[in-house]
Amino acid sequence: MKKLFGTDGIRGVANKYPMTPVMAMKTGRALAFFMKQQKSGFSSIVIGKDTRVSGDMLEAALAAGISSMGVNVLCAGVIPTPAVAFLASMIKEAGAGIVISASHNPYYDNGIKIFNSKGYKLSGDEEKTIENLILNHEFNNHSNAYSNAHFNEDFTKIIKSENDHPENCGNGDGNSKNGDVEGNNKKGDITGSHFNIGRISSLSYANEKYAEFLKNLFMLELSSSAGLKLSDQNRSMPENHITAELSSPAGPQPSGSEPVKSGLNTELFTGISKSEKSGLYRKLKLVIDCSNGAASEIAPLVFTGDWFDSEFIFNSPDGRNINENCGSQHTDTLGELVLKHSADLGLAFDGDADRLIALDENAEKITGDRILAICASHAKNMGRLKNNIVVSTVMSNIGLSKTLESLGIDHVTTDVGDRKVLLKMQETGAVMGGEDSGHMIYSNSHTTGDGILTALKIIIVMLDTGKKLSGLASIMKVYPQILMNVEVDPSKPDFMKIKEIADEIHAVENELGKKGRVLVRYSGTQPLLRVMVEGPEKTLTEQYCKRICSAIKTKI
């Protein structure tokens, strides 16, 4: 049986295995069972989604599976991925959070990402346990009695993989060798707990709560830079304290035209951007591309009011236009509008708003590596770069390493994937890390990558230094880096065992010598082989990359 969990959860074409309602229901059941097995007293799971047309279908299936195990479901609706991590960590009764999204992929794809009760993505071992439950038909063909009468039985009997007990496994489509497709066990159905069913409710004001959290973080850091003394605890994620009200939360709610009041001296920030000539303050002019995705509703809650003069584009999702010629991977239209309106900054989010690509006032693209360099330099100057370490992936531009070295900052690299970045940050004690694709993690502020938070971090540096983004980005020289994707067989054979491909890769490496590097790897979410070549000159580097891609296309 093919592995379900990839680099970032379960992903595939919607309504095809493994992204079917049947598999989503099984995933919901497995996660609910896994959560209850922890015996931590949690009673609910949060579900959020982006704007894909298949999101409603998968949400309904997940909610059915969870509630069938006696666990409540809190549906947050269309909301960014990091907001679900936040809600899972802040709602007292929540033991997990699920995001239905395929990030930057086309609308016809979808995925399932899972966060634990602390707002972190599941570990590899936790994913394996849940995957074994999803694929184990002894578990799936019993009623919800598993959530009660059999809950205290030997858990290892339930989570044995199909490799250990193939007789208990079917083909993943709901059919089983020991039971029928309706879930009736032919050896005798287990009964006794059919009325232990969870409730499914809407979580009101979820986007507003998250917008308030982000704006308060923004004000805390901005106030700290202005000289107010704030403890490290105040700059970090607070402990669980939100109760999952299903009506309006207590206290004043943020609107699209007024910043959240944080109790700080907001008179310090009557305006937002200081004019170099007059010394007066004005609002920062932004153009924001919401990618017709999860940022469409929340971005206006964050980037309006006294601080920002914002224009929002691609913020009318219809279920099929998410990421379509817009967002973090398609910034041409954003760049045109930045120039047309003389904007200070352009911001492009992806479909679930966990990554950001920025454009400076000249519409030049500022990707994750340069964002890391900008924020790391500022954090070091402000005494906020704990342990003097920045983490990125092996895909980072060589210019990032050289820049950090010149700043006296230790640079640690790891495998591709924001989860890998976070793990390495935790191992090294780093508080900042990310990927060139725009996934940025600031562990003093959040538990996962967040595009909107990253945008606010950039703005804070601009305000603190009084510099334009182009000036800040000049800290790092970007070396020519060519990245090409080759569609390959889903079986993903070991390409280094194919002589012609291996020979071409080695030949390019030898020709580059110390002036560049080659990195070839499979995508963790799509049937693609990614070829990256760095070199001293763009045209030559592109030729090297095409040579390797040609060998791959011929042999795979």
Side-chain angles (χ1 to χ4, degrees), residues 202-266:
S202 295
L203 185 60
S204 301
Y205 297 98
N207 273 300
E208 287 82 356
K209 289 177 181 177
Y210 192 58
E212 182 179 2
F213 164 72
L214 290 172
K215 292 166 83 168
N216 283 338
L217 280 177
F218 176 73
M219 286 301 300
L220 284 168
E221 191 162 340
L222 205 56
S223 299
S224 177
S225 298
L228 296 181
K229 293 183 179 180
L230 298 171
S231 68
D232 288 339
Q233 183 178 0
N234 287 334
R235 282 196 291 267
S236 302
M237 285 274 291
E239 297 297 323
N240 288 12
H241 71 279
I242 293 177
T243 300
E245 310 96 333
L246 300 179
S247 58
S248 175
Q253 291 305 303
S255 68
S257 61
E258 184 177 12
V260 175
K261 302 299 186 293
S262 64
L264 300 175
N265 184 4
T266 55

Side-chain angles (χ1 to χ4, degrees), residues 82 303 349-350 353-356 438 440 449-456:
F303 296 105
F349 302 109
D350 67 338
D354 67 349
R355 69 170 68 182
L356 168 79
M440 301 288 128
D450 187 329
I452 297 177
L453 176 61
T454 299
L456 293 173

Side-chain angles (χ1 to χ4, degrees), residues 281-511:
Y281 283 85
R282 63 174 176 83
K283 292 184 178 182
L284 199 66
K285 190 169 184 60
L286 309 177
V287 182
I288 299 174
D289 182 344
C290 299
S291 200
N292 290 316
S296 298
E297 181 177 341
I298 193 171
L301 297 176
V302 177
F303 296 105
T304 52
D306 293 340
W307 307 320
F308 308 112
D309 176 12
S310 301
E311 178 179 353
F312 300 93
I313 62 174
F314 299 113
N315 59 336
S316 300
D318 63 11
R320 291 178 168 81
N321 60 1
I322 185 172
N323 300 320
E324 184 179 19
N325 297 318
C326 60
S328 60
Q329 291 192 307
H330 306 280
T331 59
D332 289 349
T333 300
L334 177 64
E336 292 172 3
L337 291 173
V338 166
L339 295 175
K340 179 180 178 180
H341 297 297
S342 299
D344 297 295
L345 181 63
L347 303 172
F349 302 109
D350 67 338
D352 65 336
D354 67 349
R355 69 170 68 182
L356 168 79
I357 297 297
L359 270 63
D360 68 15
E361 73 281 1
N362 301 313
E364 182 178 348
K365 189 183 297 185
I366 311 297
T367 60
D369 286 343
R370 283 205 278 180
I371 293 173
L372 271 180
I374 291 167
C375 292
S377 174
H378 180 257
K380 183 177 177 69
N381 290 337
M382 299 296 292
R384 297 174 184 167
L385 190 62
K386 184 179 178 182
N387 292 327
N388 197 45
I389 296 172
V390 169
V391 176
S392 71
T393 76
V394 292
M395 296 294 289
S396 289
N397 192 278
I398 192 173
L400 177 61
S401 293
K402 292 182 178 295
T403 299
L404 295 177
E405 182 180 5
S406 70
L407 294 170
I409 297 173
D410 295 330
H411 183 207
V412 177
T413 60
T414 186
D415 291 336
V416 173
D418 61 323
R419 189 174 66 179
K420 297 289 182 63
V421 171
L422 179 60
L423 286 174
K424 186 60 69 174
M425 289 172 64
Q426 292 171 333
E427 288 176 11
T428 60
V431 294
M432 187 181 300
E435 301 181 276
D436 193 49
S437 62
H439 280 120
M440 301 288 128
I441 301 174
Y442 304 92
S443 60
N444 273 354
S445 301
H446 207 335
T447 59
T448 191
D450 187 329
I452 297 177
L453 176 61
T454 299
L456 293 173
K457 293 283 187 178
I458 293 172
I459 290 169
I460 287 169
V461 179
M462 293 174 68
L463 300 182
D464 280 354
T465 62
K467 294 182 179 180
K468 296 179 180 180
L469 184 55
S470 61
L472 293 170
S474 66
I475 193 174
M476 174 182 152
K477 176 185 176 181
V478 179
Y479 285 69
Q481 183 184 80
I482 304 298
L483 177 62
M484 296 182 180
N485 296 322
V486 182
E487 190 169 350
V488 295
D489 187 279
S491 65
K492 298 181 178 180
D494 185 348
F495 56 87
M496 290 305 290
K497 290 185 178 179
I498 301 174
K499 185 178 185 302
E500 292 81 359
I501 297 175
D503 287 348
E504 192 62 60
I505 291 173
H506 292 319
V508 170
E509 288 176 331
N510 289 334
E511 291 175 40

